[in-house]
Amino acid sequence: VLTEKISLLVMAMSRSAARRISVLRIDMENSADFGQIAASVDSAFALNVLEHTRDDRRSLRNVYDALRPGGRFVVIVPAHPILFGAIDRSIGHTRRYTKKELIDAIKGTAFRVGQIYYFNALSVPGWFIAGRLLKMAYVSPLAAFIYARLVPMMRVIEKHVLRRRPL
């Protein structure tokens, strides 16, 4: 979720019989926002959020402090700094990550990295051409339509040819 403030959707699933799910909108960089949920969250997700923050390490520490012992955090960020271009700037990105850069940011917390891998590798040429070479500030509806139609084929190629390698 991208709003006036950088937000994180925190999904907290209780272990009660009701299996209640709570969704909270929190400024990842504001430690005070996390006070209400300190050490109470089982799982948190930041999907294309961390790259919008000024201080990714503080944001990661805040999430860590919200998690219960053994809690899990899933983060998806845009990869390959060489792809950083007009599209990234237009949607408020401050960075893209290499695996090493993301691991270094995570090392500033007590998180333990379980898995880290690149995905959607077949979109790299399109991002480079559109965002860097053509300096497009948005993805056109036609490009999004074509991409959506290619995703099933790209998933198969990625699964069988561009296999994920463990740490």
Side-chain angles (χ1 to χ4, degrees):
V1 174
L2 183 60
T3 62
E4 292 177 22
K5 290 179 122 185
I6 304 305
S7 300
L8 165 70
L9 282 181
V10 177
M11 296 183 68
M13 185 176 289
S14 73
R15 294 194 168 109
S16 69
R19 302 295 285 174
R20 196 186 73 210
I21 296 176
S22 300
V23 178
L24 307 171
R25 196 165 91 187
I26 294 174
D27 181 343
M28 282 186 78
E29 295 182 286
N30 186 350
S31 300
D33 280 4
F34 285 82
Q36 62 182 318
I37 58 171
S40 68
V41 175
D42 292 320
S43 301
F45 305 86
L47 311 178
N48 292 303
V49 175
L50 196 60
E51 67 275 9
H52 293 272
T53 63
R54 292 178 306 278
D55 188 343
D56 55 356
R57 286 163 171 76
R58 176 186 298 157
S59 298
L60 289 166
R61 282 190 303 273
N62 286 339
V63 172
Y64 185 85
D65 290 343
L67 290 171
R68 290 180 180 171
R72 296 193 180 252
F73 179 48
V74 176
V75 60
I76 294 177
V77 296
H80 311 299
I82 194 167
L83 298 179
F84 191 91
I87 295 171
D88 292 287
R89 283 188 288 281
S90 75
I91 58 177
H93 289 179
T94 60
R95 72 187 72 78
R96 283 177 165 262
Y97 292 87
T98 63
K99 285 182 185 179
K100 181 184 180 324
E101 288 167 339
L102 184 57
I103 288 169
D104 287 347
I106 292 168
K107 282 182 181 175
T109 70
F111 278 120
R112 181 183 55 80
V113 177
Q115 291 182 354
I116 187 168
Y117 53 85
Y118 294 118
F119 68 94
N120 202 13
L122 297 174
S123 70
V124 168
W127 275 102
F128 185 79
I129 291 166
R132 294 291 303 266
L133 299 181
L134 299 177
K135 301 189 184 328
M136 294 172 62
Y138 65 95
V139 176
S140 73
L142 177 61
F145 175 81
I146 292 169
Y147 175 77
R149 297 300 179 263
L150 293 174
V151 165
M153 178 186 63
M154 292 189 314
R155 283 186 182 153
V156 170
I157 292 170
E158 225 172 68
K159 180 178 179 182
H160 296 290
V161 178
L162 305 172
R163 293 190 178 107
R164 297 177 182 159
R165 291 173 177 76
L167 286 176

